[in-house]
Amino acid sequence: MEILKERILKEGKVRNGDVLKVGTFLNHQIDIKLLEEIGKEFKKRFSDCDITKILTIESSGIAIACMAAQSFGVPVVFAKKNTTKNLDGGVYSSQIYSFTHGKTYNVVVSKEILLADDKVLIIDDFLANGKAVQGLANIVEKSGASLVGAGIVIEKSFEPGGKEVRGKGIRVESLAKISAMSPDGKIEFED
Amino acid sequence: MEILKERILKEGKVRNGDVLKVGTFLNHQIDIKLLEEIGKEFKKRFSDCDITKILTIESSGIAIACMAAQSFGVPVVFAKKNTTKNLDGGVYSSQIYSFTHGKTYNVVVSKEILLADDKVLIIDDFLANGKAVQGLANIVEKSGASLVGAGIVIEKSFEPGGKEVRGKGIRVESLAKISAMSPDGKIEFED
């Protein structure tokens, strides 16, 4: 997706060699117009699929999932990282290790909103180690729903997650695939 | 806002007397169509204001803020509850106590995305004790930006937050004001 790649090159900042900051437009400040285009692109890529629900994980995935959900005309469900007193009744849960935060989260989705006849598209901002997508896929499996695939805004294809997730038979569509980042700030895309 | 009140009456569940669960449409599963209407309603109520940025706090505010941002044609900024290695450089921060989670969060916004000439509308899902709105208002103040007001989806007007926030001169527009909730599940609205 060209406008996305251009934006990454223009505003993305490489930190510590492997961290890409895109907080000016994707996951801290959100450029709604760009996300509308991202949502349309996901719809185009999964146009052959009958999707009934978009599943993401708090917090960075929510805005992207919402704009995708507009294109698909379906609701969003976002998995919560902690059980709070606002989530009672049964939940589907999975353990997800976050490399960004250096800890394992218990991620939950209420049973009443993920149903066995749902056809689910996972949406997230980044795919690097693939733990979030695999944890969400695990929740979809527990619910008995069908997993259609995963739509990712930025895949770091030099990290192992993409290969691992695809190796499990999950269809992954990434709008920008970064093949290399260097400490001096250079970003290279696949193709 | 009638369709919102009807939805609260239909799907909202009262827990422990003072917790209102609306996870089937507002803050766990998200009904995008309803949120589009909510976004338009905020635009109508703040139509006299020149707004350049919507500010919210992760996670439940993000979806609502995004749909409001579409109506206003401006970007969203969501305050983060923890500093991660993805946020470097200077930040504006504020301490916010969450009654839901029973702890205090350090909430931050990067200085590069909240500017002195911004005119900011705060958006959140709930107003109860008012700590989140006041913490976000504090961040706006630190940035030198102007605070236009706060748009709230559900205000628990039997809690002290609304009075406290308005008492500080902040304009608050709440789309549904709940005046009472009873342990047997009864919900009453103002007017």
Coordinates of all heavy atoms in Angstrom, one line a residue, chain B residues 151-182:
Chain B
G151 N -16.8 15.4 25.6 CA -18.0 14.7 25.1 C -18.0 13.3 25.7 O -17.0 12.5 25.5
I152 N -19.0 13.0 26.4 CA -19.1 11.7 27.2 C -20.3 10.9 26.6 O -21.4 11.5 26.4 CB -19.4 12.0 28.7 CG1 -18.2 12.9 29.2 CG2 -19.6 10.7 29.5 CD1 -16.9 12.3 29.2
V153 N -20.1 9.6 26.5 CA -21.3 8.8 26.0 C -22.3 8.5 27.2 O -23.4 8.8 27.0 CB -20.8 7.4 25.4 CG1 -22.0 6.6 24.9 CG2 -19.8 7.7 24.2
I154 N -21.8 8.0 28.3 CA -22.6 7.7 29.4 C -22.1 8.4 30.7 O -21.0 8.1 31.1 CB -22.8 6.2 29.7 CG1 -23.3 5.5 28.4 CG2 -23.7 6.0 30.9 CD1 -23.2 4.0 28.5
E155 N -22.9 9.3 31.2 CA -22.6 10.0 32.5 C -23.4 9.4 33.6 O -24.6 9.3 33.5 CB -22.8 11.5 32.4 CG -22.5 12.2 33.7 CD -22.7 13.7 33.7 OE1 -22.8 14.3 32.6 OE2 -22.8 14.3 34.8
K156 N -22.7 8.9 34.7 CA -23.5 8.5 35.9 C -23.6 9.8 36.7 O -22.7 10.1 37.5 CB -22.7 7.4 36.6 CG -22.6 6.1 35.9 CD -21.6 5.2 36.7 CE -21.5 3.8 36.1 NZ -20.5 3.0 36.8
S157 N -24.8 10.4 36.6 CA -24.9 11.7 37.2 C -25.1 11.6 38.7 O -25.1 12.6 39.4 CB -26.0 12.6 36.5 OG -27.2 11.9 36.5
F158 N -25.3 10.3 39.2 CA -25.4 10.1 40.7 C -24.0 10.0 41.3 O -23.8 10.0 42.5 CB -26.2 8.9 41.0 CG -25.7 7.6 40.4 CD1 -24.8 6.8 41.0 CD2 -26.1 7.2 39.1 CE1 -24.3 5.6 40.5 CE2 -25.6 6.0 38.5 CZ -24.7 5.3 39.2
E159 N -23.0 10.0 40.4 CA -21.6 10.0 40.9 C -21.1 11.5 40.9 O -21.6 12.3 40.2 CB -20.7 9.2 40.0 CG -21.1 7.7 40.0 CD -20.4 6.8 41.0 OE1 -19.9 7.4 42.0 OE2 -20.4 5.6 40.8
P160 N -20.0 11.8 41.6 CA -19.6 13.2 41.8 C -18.9 13.9 40.6 O -18.7 15.1 40.6 CB -18.7 13.2 43.0 CG -18.1 11.8 43.1 CD -19.2 10.9 42.5
G161 N -18.4 13.0 39.6 CA -17.5 13.5 38.6 C -18.1 14.7 37.7 O -17.4 15.7 37.5
G162 N -19.3 14.5 37.3 CA -19.9 15.6 36.4 C -19.9 16.9 37.0 O -19.5 17.9 36.4
K163 N -20.3 17.0 38.3 CA -20.4 18.3 39.0 C -19.0 18.8 39.2 O -18.8 20.0 39.0 CB -21.1 18.0 40.4 CG -21.6 19.3 41.0 CD -22.3 19.0 42.3 CE -22.6 20.4 43.0 NZ -23.2 20.1 44.4
E164 N -18.1 18.0 39.6 CA -16.7 18.4 39.8 C -16.1 18.9 38.6 O -15.4 20.0 38.6 CB -15.9 17.1 40.3 CG -14.8 17.4 41.2 CD -14.2 16.1 41.8 OE1 -14.9 15.4 42.4 OE2 -13.0 15.9 41.5
V165 N -16.2 18.2 37.4 CA -15.6 18.7 36.2 C -16.2 20.0 35.7 O -15.5 20.9 35.3 CB -15.8 17.6 35.1 CG1 -15.3 18.1 33.7 CG2 -14.9 16.3 35.5
R166 N -17.6 20.1 35.7 CA -18.3 21.3 35.3 C -17.9 22.5 36.3 O -17.8 23.6 35.8 CB -19.8 21.1 35.3 CG -20.2 20.2 34.2 CD -21.8 20.0 34.1 NE -22.2 19.1 33.0 CZ -22.3 17.8 33.2 NH1 -22.2 17.2 34.4 NH2 -22.7 17.0 32.2
G167 N -17.7 22.1 37.5 CA -17.3 23.1 38.5 C -15.9 23.8 38.2 O -15.6 24.9 38.7
K168 N -15.1 23.1 37.4 CA -13.8 23.6 37.0 C -13.9 24.4 35.7 O -12.9 24.7 35.1 CB -12.8 22.5 36.9 CG -12.5 21.8 38.2 CD -11.3 20.9 38.2 CE -11.0 20.5 39.7 NZ -9.9 19.7 39.8
G169 N -15.2 24.6 35.3 CA -15.4 25.4 34.1 C -15.3 24.6 32.8 O -15.2 25.2 31.7
I170 N -15.2 23.3 32.9 CA -15.2 22.5 31.6 C -16.6 22.2 31.1 O -17.4 21.7 31.9 CB -14.4 21.2 31.9 CG1 -12.9 21.5 32.4 CG2 -14.4 20.3 30.7 CD1 -12.1 20.3 32.8
R171 N -16.8 22.5 29.9 CA -18.1 22.2 29.3 C -18.2 20.7 29.0 O -17.3 20.1 28.4 CB -18.2 22.9 27.9 CG -19.5 22.6 27.2 CD -19.5 23.4 25.9 NE -20.6 22.9 25.0 CZ -20.8 23.2 23.8 NH1 -20.0 24.1 23.2 NH2 -21.8 22.7 23.1
V172 N -19.2 20.1 29.5 CA -19.4 18.6 29.4 C -20.7 18.4 28.6 O -21.8 18.9 29.0 CB -19.4 17.9 30.7 CG1 -19.6 16.4 30.5 CG2 -18.2 18.2 31.5
E173 N -20.7 17.6 27.6 CA -21.9 17.1 26.9 C -22.0 15.6 27.0 O -21.1 14.9 26.5 CB -21.8 17.5 25.4 CG -21.9 19.0 25.1 CD -23.3 19.6 25.2 OE1 -24.3 18.8 25.3 OE2 -23.4 20.8 25.3
S174 N -23.0 15.1 27.7 CA -23.2 13.7 27.9 C -24.4 13.2 27.1 O -25.5 13.8 27.2 CB -23.3 13.4 29.4 OG -22.2 13.8 30.1
L175 N -24.2 12.2 26.4 CA -25.3 11.7 25.5 C -26.4 10.9 26.2 O -27.5 10.9 25.8 CB -24.8 10.9 24.3 CG -23.6 11.6 23.5 CD1 -23.4 10.8 22.3 CD2 -24.0 13.0 23.2
A176 N -26.0 10.3 27.4 CA -27.0 9.6 28.2 C -26.6 9.9 29.6 O -25.5 9.6 30.0 CB -27.1 8.2 27.9
K177 N -27.5 10.5 30.4 CA -27.2 10.7 31.8 C -28.0 9.8 32.7 O -29.3 9.9 32.7 CB -27.5 12.2 32.2 CG -26.6 13.2 31.7 CD -27.0 14.6 32.2 CE -26.1 15.7 31.6 NZ -26.6 17.0 32.0
I178 N -27.3 8.9 33.4 CA -28.0 8.0 34.3 C -28.1 8.6 35.7 O -27.1 8.9 36.3 CB -27.3 6.6 34.3 CG1 -27.4 6.0 32.9 CG2 -27.9 5.7 35.4 CD1 -26.6 4.7 32.8
S179 N -29.3 8.7 36.2 CA -29.5 9.4 37.5 C -29.6 8.3 38.6 O -29.3 8.7 39.8 CB -30.8 10.2 37.5 OG -31.9 9.4 37.1
A180 N -29.9 7.1 38.2 CA -30.0 6.0 39.3 C -29.9 4.7 38.7 O -30.4 4.4 37.5 CB -31.3 6.2 40.1
M181 N -29.2 3.8 39.4 CA -29.2 2.3 39.0 C -29.5 1.6 40.3 O -29.0 1.9 41.4 CB -27.8 1.9 38.5 CG -27.4 2.7 37.3 SD -25.9 2.0 36.4 CE -24.8 1.7 37.8
S182 N -30.3 0.5 40.2 CA -30.6 -0.3 41.4 C -30.0 -1.7 41.2 O -29.8 -2.2 40.1 CB -32.1 -0.3 41.6 OG -32.7 -0.9 40.5

